């Protein structure tokens, strides 16, 4: 019976990890669903998102360590005004989903950015 508490701790840890995995999975589904519906097909195409964590920055630093990049592609002939409007639309869609923002914050994200090409990222928060 001495090994039972150790087994119980391992079981609790496994359940915690499974819960985090399900939470992150549902978070990913929420982001994919939300972002795939932001733009009409002829405006921009949702590609996906990527989580970036800068492990070279100390946890205590005032610099963002963990952030999310939400990736879209937009036509090359898109003007600066339309690009700015697209950034605003994508960011506002993210920011208005308070549950998503709360879960990202709880997961340790410091910032969310959107990208419409491979060269530039625009910070939402």
């Amino acid at each position: 019976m001495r090994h039972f508490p150790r087994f119980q701790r391992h079981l609790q840890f496994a359940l915690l990890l499974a819960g985090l995995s399900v939470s992150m999975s549902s978070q990913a589904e929420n982001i994919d669903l939300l972002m795939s519906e932001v733009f009409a097909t002829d405006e921009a195409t949702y590609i996906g998102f990527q989580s970036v964590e800068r492990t070279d920055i100390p946890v205590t630093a005032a610099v963002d360590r963990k952030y999310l990049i939400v990736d879209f592609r937009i036509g090359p002939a898109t003007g600066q005004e339309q690009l700015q409007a697209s950034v605003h639309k994508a960011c506002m869609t993210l920011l208005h989903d308070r549950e998503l923002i709360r879960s990202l914050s709880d997961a340790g994200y410091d910032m969310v950015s959107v990208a419409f090409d491979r060269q530039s990222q625009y910070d939402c928060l």
Side-chain angles (χ1 to χ4, degrees), residues 2 6 8 11 26 38 54-55 75-76 82 95 100 104 111-112 116:
R2 287 188 313 182
R6 185 179 304 162
Q8 189 174 13
L11 181 61
S26 65
V38 172
R54 298 280 312 268
T55 56
Q82 180 59 38
L95 292 172
L100 176 62
L104 288 172
M111 182 175 58
V112 176
F116 288 88

Side-chain angles (χ1 to χ4, degrees), residues 47-120:
I47 302 297
F49 66 92
Q50 178 182 6
S51 176
V52 177
E53 185 168 2
R54 298 280 312 268
T55 56
D56 58 322
I57 298 173
V59 176
T60 56
V63 178
D64 298 329
R65 281 180 40 93
K66 187 174 178 182
Y67 57 98
L68 193 72
I69 303 171
V70 181
D71 202 14
F72 296 89
R73 287 297 173 265
I74 200 165
T78 302
Q80 187 64 27
E81 279 186 29
Q82 180 59 38
L83 176 61
Q84 287 178 354
S86 296
V87 168
H88 178 75
K89 188 175 184 178
C91 287
M92 292 310 292
T93 300
L94 284 163
L95 292 172
H96 279 109
D97 191 329
R98 291 177 190 244
E99 184 179 325
L100 176 62
I101 295 300
R102 188 175 302 116
S103 67
L104 288 172
S105 180
D106 290 346
Y109 287 93
D110 299 314
M111 182 175 58
V112 176
S113 298
V114 294
F116 288 88
D117 59 36
R118 294 183 187 272
Q119 288 79 35
S120 305

